[in-house]
Amino acid sequence: MNKGVWHTFRQGVFAINKFMAYLSAVLIVVCALVLMYEVMTRYVIHYSNDWVIEASVFMLIAATFMAAAHTQKDRAHVGIELLDEIMAPKWKRYRLLFGDVLSFLFCLLITVLTWKYFYQAYTEGWDSGSTWAPKLWIPYSLMAFGMTLLNLQFVIQIVDGVRGTGE
């Protein structure tokens, strides 16, 4: 594999993941503001908004799935530190590689399913069934895109683990 192409690919994925992490942070702030708006309008001026909860759920779905790859890059997900303490340091690389391969396979299945649901929701016009009735392809597309980024991050970690690099 051409080292320059691999380095460019890695850096490109890292840049996208970093941007998605910032976008996710903005979405969480916007979600909090929207929910505060709902509280104020519902309890101060006694006006109900039927779109707020669904919009907030969509934003939180986007924030969760789109930031997952950046979180995985830093290995900031929940981990079992006990294994680090009881295993010899030379085995850490293999343990991480084994975990990355298993996680990649699981996430690949979820990615395929979310792309399938996105396609079905888009082609069949699925909506949420509420009075606002937003299209369900929106959260499914955000989930599928975020899971795709997470899979790309796992590919990078697996290749780096096999090569024994981490740049």
Side-chain angles (χ1 to χ4, degrees):
M1 180 182 314
N2 186 331
K3 191 173 185 176
V5 171
W6 178 249
H7 178 75
T8 303
F9 173 75
R10 279 176 100 251
Q11 295 311 110
V13 170
F14 291 166
I16 292 169
N17 290 343
K18 188 172 189 174
F19 175 75
M20 291 298 135
Y22 283 121
L23 181 60
S24 296
V26 170
L27 283 173
I28 290 171
V29 170
V30 170
C31 183
L33 293 173
V34 166
L35 289 172
M36 287 184 346
Y37 164 79
E38 167 67 4
V39 169
M40 295 301 290
T41 58
R42 180 178 294 258
Y43 296 105
V44 174
I45 61 174
H46 305 290
Y47 179 75
S48 180
N49 298 292
D50 60 352
W51 60 270
V52 172
I53 299 299
E54 283 181 308
S56 298
V57 168
F58 284 17
M59 285 187 276
L60 290 177
I61 287 171
T64 301
F65 281 87
M66 292 190 320
H70 182 71
T71 305
Q72 179 60 34
K73 176 186 176 284
D74 296 333
R75 295 195 183 270
H77 288 285
V78 174
I80 303 171
E81 294 176 5
L82 177 65
L83 291 178
D84 284 338
E85 294 178 19
I86 63 173
M87 291 180 77
K90 68 179 181 176
W91 289 99
K92 181 179 181 179
R93 174 179 160 212
Y94 299 109
R95 180 182 59 81
L96 291 175
L97 183 59
F98 180 70
D100 288 344
V101 169
L102 287 180
S103 298
F104 170 74
L105 293 173
F106 175 77
C107 289
L108 186 61
L109 173 66
I110 302 300
T111 303
V112 169
L113 291 174
T114 54
W115 280 114
K116 176 186 168 191
Y117 286 130
F118 158 71
Y119 178 76
Q120 282 184 301
Y122 185 77
T123 58
E124 297 175 18
W126 294 356
D127 63 42
S128 68
S130 68
T131 55
W132 182 40
K135 298 296 181 186
L136 289 178
W137 67 264
I138 297 168
Y140 287 145
S141 68
L142 299 171
M143 291 167 61
F145 181 68
M147 289 303 294
T148 301
L149 290 176
L150 183 58
N151 281 317
L152 289 175
Q153 181 59 44
F154 278 123
V155 167
I156 290 170
Q157 288 177 196
I158 290 167
V159 171
D160 286 350
V162 168
R163 294 170 71 195
T165 62
E167 288 186 49

